[in-house]
């Protein structure tokens, strides 16, 4: 009876506890069972179905609505600040005044859309009127969950929450929630049960949300029902954005691949990068791997990360082609720098360098706005990069959102053609060490410009001794790849080191290979002049001679042979003998067969530098190394044969010197030398028979091996004695003798042992 009552109590208790736990866990464990209010994120939902997506895309309107949305009609920037107090404010660009300002904790960047400002403040998501700053409502973020972003449609706010980790194999759960824009009342919610969601994007009647970095779930805005799903097969999906021109998504860059931007359309259902409508900058990978938007699987923060400071910016326009940008330009933001690229040629159009770090950028129809970390607004024209428009707000922003589309500042454009060559050079010589990766990258961009004058620019940059070694290394690399601009390099050959006039020799280790790569025959006399100049460092001789080898002719033979005759034994070339060897190659190439014996004489002279001798052996006889190796192998083989013969002779002599049989003395001495092997056997026998005074052994010895066998022992009745001695004898080797076999005996006499008197046995 008692057991039944206990059970009646326990069962309801645990059921109640389970329900409380599931609700208390806010869906982490039991959320999909108790909290999901719409049908989405099912594991078996069909993916990449063209018909499903077509129903969605056919209802999405595209336009070029580039206009300010707030009621004032003024270009406004919404900013959050941390100093002097945390808060939110609106800055009117046209009046240069703060429209409104409120104090509130700020825990996320701003979302600004449909005249509404959204952000996380403390443990709530708060909505504010963008015109007045009036708070509309707050929606709590449940304990344990994190806010990942939001977007706003005409009358609905969609929020993304997450719990767990985005790392593969670790627990994660995502929650997508819709609340009414007017009062924050929840309309529906869905939990993935598996994997995080990124920031959602709304367009028309649909929500597009990235899921697990491989999928985009398309959700009906009014019901929360999933109606289509895209899955990426060979790339990741790190963000989704909606603009007036459509829905776009993107994948992050890597150290080897530039980021890609995708337009969401029917081709997205292929799941393949190359088969989708994709825009990928045709440039080499950029340092720090910037993307086309923030990775929305990272928790949003008001603390700027490196990826926030290094990013591509763009503004797509309505077009019949998959991608067309306003101004036909896309921008790279790198801390203080902006580099504008032509969207067709992917060449640098212009560059911009701010005196301080740029916090946030915003592309508009005719250019791009930037706000610095101290709150100064700047604007650059899309075509020229020119700007004389600057506005200081005096506000230190932590996050920024713009409502300025359609606004273009009045700037004085000079009409000059932008000069990316000049701008990139300024970047390269910038002293900001934080910018070294992009300064190195700027060297690549400069070299890619189709202008023969770039060669002279690179040479001039290399001459700047203040540049870091890594940057100079890149300049050398790019100079060596140049195919035009030989004139600047040839002109530099006329300059020689002169102590009195304080002139430095040109960097021949850089110039000579570049001229050879260009096939600049006109450089021959200048190269020869530099080579023959006694002031030229010996470490540069090889590079110059290698270029002469490629560009030369018979006119160089006489002066170069005189040079090698003079310097072949000069100790100043130790460590740089390859330069002298290369000169010999030039003489042999253009001087013909008559110079081969002359070079051979230099090789054979006792005073010739040893390393030069070694290299000349190969130059004069390209197969010299193989021959030397073959000779060394043959010599080693002959030595081995001689060694084997010596061993065989020694063995034969040893056999010839053997006696016909062993003497008793030889046998006794051999046993005495190995007494340590027999001693344990005798000691063991004494323990069994203390009266033992001697042990007699009789055995045979084989003449060829000197090994004993057939042991007999007296006395024979001591247990284990014969076996022990037999095992010990097998380890003894007697001198070898000519006879086949010989009988032997040996007596071991036992002395010095204290034995009991006869009466002690009783």
């Amino acid at each position: 009876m008692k057991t039944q009552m206990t059970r009646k109590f326990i069962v309801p208790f645990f059921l109640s506890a389970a329900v409380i736990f599931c609700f208390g866990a806010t869906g982490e464990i039991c959320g999909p069972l108790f909290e999901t209010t719409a049908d989405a994120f099912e594991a078996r939902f069909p993916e990449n179905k063209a018909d499903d997506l077509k129903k969605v895309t056919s209802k999405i309107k595209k336009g070029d609505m580039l206009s300010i949305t707030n009621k004032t009609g003024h270009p406004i920037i919404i900013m959050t600040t941390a100093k002097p107090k945390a808060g939110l404010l609106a800055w009117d660009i046209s009046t240069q005044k703060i429209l409104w300002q409120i104090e509130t904790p700020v825990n996320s960047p701003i979302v600004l859309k449909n005249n509404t400002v959204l952000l996380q403040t403390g443990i709530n998501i708060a909505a504010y009127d963008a015109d007045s700053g009036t708070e509309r409502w707050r929606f709590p973020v449940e304990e344990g969950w994190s806010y990942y972003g939001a977007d706003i449609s005409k009358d609905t706010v969609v929020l993304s929450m997450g719990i767990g980790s985005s790392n593969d194999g670790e627990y994660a759960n995502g929650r997508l929630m819709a609340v009414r824009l007017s009062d924050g009342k929840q309309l529906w919610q869905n939990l993935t049960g598996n994997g995080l969601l990124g920031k959602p994007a709304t367009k028309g009647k649909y929500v597009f949300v990235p899921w697990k970095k491989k999928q985009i779930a398309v959700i009906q805005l009014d019901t929360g029902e999933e109606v289509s799903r895209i899955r990426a097969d060979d790339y990741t999906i790190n963000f989704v954005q909606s603009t007036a021109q459509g829905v776009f998504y993107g994948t992050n860059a890597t150290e080897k691949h530039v980021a890609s931007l995708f337009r969401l359309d029917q081709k997205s259902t292929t799941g393949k990068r190359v088969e989708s409508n994709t825009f990928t900058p045709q440039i080499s990978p950029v340092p720090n791997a910037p993307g086309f938007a923030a990775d929305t699987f990272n928790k949003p923060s008001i603390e700027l990360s490196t990826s926030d400071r290094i990013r591509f910016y763009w503004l797509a326009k309505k077009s019949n082609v998959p991608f067309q940008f306003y101004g036909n330009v896309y921008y790279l933001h790198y801390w203080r720098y902006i580099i504008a690229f032509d969207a067709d040629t992917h060449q640098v159009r212009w560059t911009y360098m701010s005196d301080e770090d740029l916090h946030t950028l915003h592309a508009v129809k005719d250019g791009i706005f930037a706000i610095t970390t101290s709150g100064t607004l700047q604007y650059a024209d899309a075509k020229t990069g020119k700007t004389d428009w600057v506005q200081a707000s005096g506000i230190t922003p932590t996050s920024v959102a713009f409502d300025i589309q359609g606004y273009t500042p009045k700037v004085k454009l000079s009409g000059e053609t932008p000069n990316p060559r000049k701008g990139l050079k300024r970047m390269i010589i910038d002293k900001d060490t934080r910018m070294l990766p992009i300064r190195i990258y700027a060297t690549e961009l400069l070299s890619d410009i189709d202008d023969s004058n770039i060669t002279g620019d690179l040479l001039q940059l290399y001459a700047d001794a203040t540049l870091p070694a890594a940057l100079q290394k890149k300049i050398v690399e790019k100079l060596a790849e140049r195919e035009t601009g030989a004139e600047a390099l040839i002109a530099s050959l006329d300059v020689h080191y002169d102590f009195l006039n304080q002139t430095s020799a040109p960097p021949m280790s850089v110039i000579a290979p570049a001229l050879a790569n260009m096939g600049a025959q006109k450089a021959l006399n200048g190269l020869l002049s530099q080579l023959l100049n006694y002031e030229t460092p010996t470490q540069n001789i090889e590079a110059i001679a290698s270029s002469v080898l490629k560009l030369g002719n018979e006119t160089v033979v006489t002066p170069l042979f005189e040079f090698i005759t003079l310097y072949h034994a000069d100790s100043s070339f130790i460590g740089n003998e390859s330069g002298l060897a290369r000169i010999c190659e030039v003489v042999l190439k253009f001087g013909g067969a008559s110079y081969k014996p002359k070079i051979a004489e230099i090789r054979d002279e006792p005073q010739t530098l040893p390393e030069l001798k070694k290299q000349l052996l190969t130059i004069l006889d390209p197969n010299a190394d193989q021959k030397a190796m073959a000779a060394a192998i043959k010599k080693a083989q002959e030595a081995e044969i001689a060694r084997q013969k010596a061993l065989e002779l020694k063995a034969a002599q040893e056999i010839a010197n053997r006696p016909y049989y062993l003497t008793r003395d030889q046998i006794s001495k051999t046993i005495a030398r190995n007494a340590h092997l027999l001693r344990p056997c005798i000691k063991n026998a004494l323990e069994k028979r203390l009266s033992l005074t001697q042990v007699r052994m009789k055995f045979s010895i084989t003449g060829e091996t000197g090994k004993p066998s057939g042991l007999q022992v007296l006395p024979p009745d001591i247990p284990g004695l014969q076996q022990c001695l037999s095992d010990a004898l097998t380890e003894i080797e007697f001198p070898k003798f000519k006879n086949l076999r010989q009988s032997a005996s040996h007596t071991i006499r036992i002395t010095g042992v204290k034995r009991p008197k006869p009466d002690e046995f009783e």
Side-chain angles (χ1 to χ4, degrees), residues 447-461:
S447 183
D448 289 341
I449 296 175
D450 186 14
D451 184 342
S452 61
N453 292 315
I454 300 299
T455 303
D457 293 340
L458 291 171
L459 185 62
Q460 183 183 24
L461 289 167

Side-chain angles (χ1 to χ4, degrees), residues 659 661-671 673 734-735:
Y661 58 88
L662 299 181
T663 65
R664 181 177 294 277
D665 184 57
Q666 287 177 305
I667 293 171
S668 297
K669 287 182 178 179
T670 300
I671 291 175
R673 284 195 301 270
F734 291 89

Side-chain angles (χ1 to χ4, degrees), residues 85 112 185 198 233 296 335 387 732 742:
K85 293 182 179 180
L112 174 61
K185 181 180 179 180
D233 293 333
T296 60
W335 293 79
T387 179
I732 297 175
Q742 173 182 341

Side-chain angles (χ1 to χ4, degrees), residues 486-536:
E487 294 78 9
L489 301 182
I490 293 172
S492 70
L493 298 177
D494 294 334
V495 180
H496 294 271
Y497 173 80
D498 190 310
F499 176 79
L500 294 178
N501 293 324
Q502 292 293 297
T503 57
S504 300
M508 295 308 301
S509 60
V510 178
I511 294 173
L515 287 168
N517 186 58
M518 296 175 186
Q521 299 287 340
K522 294 180 179 179
L524 184 59
N525 290 337
L527 288 169
L528 193 63
S529 173
Q530 290 288 341
L531 191 153
L532 299 176
N533 188 337
Y534 70 94
E535 294 285 4
T536 298

Side-chain angles (χ1 to χ4, degrees), residues 355 385 392 416-417 432 487 542 621 623 656:
D355 293 334
E416 295 179 9
T417 302
D432 191 339
E487 294 78 9
E542 182 179 7
D621 184 359
N623 297 320

Side-chain angles (χ1 to χ4, degrees), residues 4-24:
Q4 291 179 350
M5 291 180 63
T6 303
R7 184 176 180 181
K8 287 181 180 179
F9 172 77
I10 291 176
V11 171
F13 172 81
F14 278 105
L15 285 173
S16 301
V19 172
I20 291 170
F21 174 75
C22 289
F23 278 97

Side-chain angles (χ1 to χ4, degrees), residues 259-278:
S260 293
L261 182 65
F262 297 74
R263 180 186 285 274
L264 191 144
D265 57 19
Q266 289 303 106
K267 290 187 177 181
S268 298
T269 58
T270 65
K272 307 293 183 184
R273 183 195 296 260
V274 296
E275 297 177 24
S276 303
N277 276 328
T278 311

